[in-house]
Amino acid sequence: MRDPGLPSLDQLRVFIAVIDHGGFAHAARALHRTQSVISYTIANLEDQLNIALLDRGKRKVTLTEAGKALLADARAVSAKVDGMRARARALGAGLEAELCLVVDVMFPMCVLVILLESFQREYPTVALRLHTEALGGVAQMVLDGRCQLGISGMPVHLPDHIDRQLAGHVTMMPVCAPGHPLAQVDGVVPTAALREHLQLVVTDRSPLTSGQDFGVVGLRDWRLADLHSKHALLRGGLGWGSMPEAMIAEDLARGRLVRLRLQDGNALQYPLYVIHRADNQLGPAGRWLKEQIQTIDYTLPHGAY
């Protein structure tokens, strides 16, 4: 038995059309060809592959078992070629092949999912690289050119060639576990009481804010590399700290965490900025994403984080 030959893309698409349109005649009309050309193309494809794809013994053409298996391959090849052509058109029009976005850990993940769902629909050919960083880490990645666009938190000193625009605020809630001593305080928790207990703090891995503290009041603190570790330790009763409201909404509702009333206020508005290098202009996808970030409505129901 000879080895299968190399089918053409046109043969595969005719094969797909015969199945999708329910026969040779309907495929011929859909592809604006004669029925004899469709039949000849399928016969050549079967000869190339050295296998019968269609059962012509019935009134309606049906797939053989081999045809069923190879139809999925034909669809995959056709889709890959279509995707390649779409990307080539986009690149020819100046669209980025890839976009790197770095996001502050305090940015609500549920909002990010909605944002990136829209991005995928709008720019399906653009590959996305996503990073999350704390404090100055976002600005550092944009400053170094590793990411074209960033959603940064607390303002840090940046060079003039970094463009920064306010894009909203995230509400930060001071919380602890229900079994923590601070949860037993009736009413406002004095600052002196806060200082006596371990505070959990997300640390910065960049040099931009090295040695600077934001919102640290405890005499004892643990510095954590990521927000999810802080969340887990808070729920475990190991300390107190502030968390994004969207991330702990379910914990508060279910009593896994309790909100602390502080002398300086019960919540902190954590600013968010959209940043990019002004000396490296964003492409169409980057500009679109930047505009979407600036119009986010943080009052929308977030659901689970």
Side-chain angles (χ1 to χ4, degrees), residues 46 50-56 64-67:
E46 290 177 317
N50 196 29
I51 198 166
L53 300 172
L54 301 175
D55 185 354
R56 298 166 176 81
T64 63
E65 289 303 313

Side-chain angles (χ1 to χ4, degrees), residues 107-128:
F107 190 81
M109 191 58 64
C110 49
V111 176
L112 182 63
V113 169
I114 295 171
L115 176 67
L116 296 186
E117 282 177 343
S118 299
F119 178 81
Q120 185 181 50
R121 288 193 299 269
E122 192 73 19
Y123 294 100
T125 66
V126 178
L128 183 77

Side-chain angles (χ1 to χ4, degrees), residues 182-200:
L182 289 175
Q184 316 311 315
V185 177
D186 188 19
V188 176
V189 180
T191 302
L194 292 176
R195 291 181 180 276
E196 294 174 2
H197 294 279
L198 179 67
Q199 183 176 1
L200 302 176

